[in-house]
Amino acid sequence: GIFIGPQPAPDDLEYARQCGIKTVIDFRLPSETATPNETLARNCGLNYINIPVNKAMLSENQIDDLDATMQTKQGLFLLHCATGARAVLLLTLSKARKNGWTADQTFAHAKTMGFDLQTSPAYSNFVNQLLKIERGTQ
């Protein structure tokens, strides 16, 4: 019930609605798009949630916001950012917390979705740091 991708065009959102997507979760900063993503999603009859993620200011709260949204909003879900990497990062970390994954397991899962989070120092450091804190190791 979760689809991940890059910034969708209006035609993509209409197609997503036709495929049963109910809620769009957007990880882009509002300043990243010329036309607000909320407008595009709502024009297609989709629910819209923005969880702005700045790669330089990653936060555990963003994972909490994703979890809360997916528990309270109607799915199927389309998660997106500019390329899909921020969406994969947060979704994978949410799964890691629930399943007790190590950083290596988390990186491996992201690769199954087509993203190598280890190539980004910001993402790699965040995953390693967060999962060490979750397990009480420093």
Side-chain angles (χ1 to χ4, degrees):
I2 301 170
F3 299 85
I4 296 177
Q7 172 67 41
D11 290 349
D12 298 329
L13 291 171
E14 179 57 33
Y15 180 71
R17 186 190 60 74
Q18 291 171 9
C19 291
I21 299 291
K22 301 289 184 202
T23 301
V24 174
I25 303 174
D26 174 9
F27 298 101
R28 294 188 82 179
L29 300 170
S31 62
E32 290 183 69
T33 58
T35 302
N37 283 324
E38 181 173 12
T39 301
L40 297 173
R42 294 203 190 279
N43 285 346
C44 292
L46 298 167
N47 297 317
Y48 175 85
I49 302 294
N50 180 234
I51 302 171
V53 177
N54 180 335
K55 187 176 180 177
M57 296 174 50
L58 298 167
S59 163
E60 188 174 356
N61 292 337
Q62 295 158 334
I63 303 164
D64 297 336
D65 291 345
L66 172 61
D67 289 342
T69 297
M70 292 183 69
Q71 290 173 7
T72 60
K73 296 297 178 186
Q74 192 175 20
L76 307 171
F77 296 96
L78 170 61
L79 281 58
H80 82 85
C81 55
T83 65
R86 288 174 278 185
V88 166
L89 173 70
L90 294 183
L91 179 62
T92 303
L93 282 170
S94 173
K95 290 180 176 186
R97 290 162 120 194
K98 291 173 185 159
N99 296 306
W101 292 345
T102 65
D104 287 341
Q105 290 170 308
T106 303
F107 292 129
H109 186 72
K111 281 186 181 181
T112 69
M113 292 186 276
F115 291 85
D116 186 351
L117 299 177
Q118 288 180 292
T119 60
S120 164
Y123 295 158
S124 181
N125 291 338
F126 185 62
V127 168
N128 283 306
Q129 179 184 16
L130 179 68
L131 294 179
K132 281 182 184 177
I133 291 169
E134 292 279 322
R135 284 169 189 66
T137 60
Q138 300 276 339

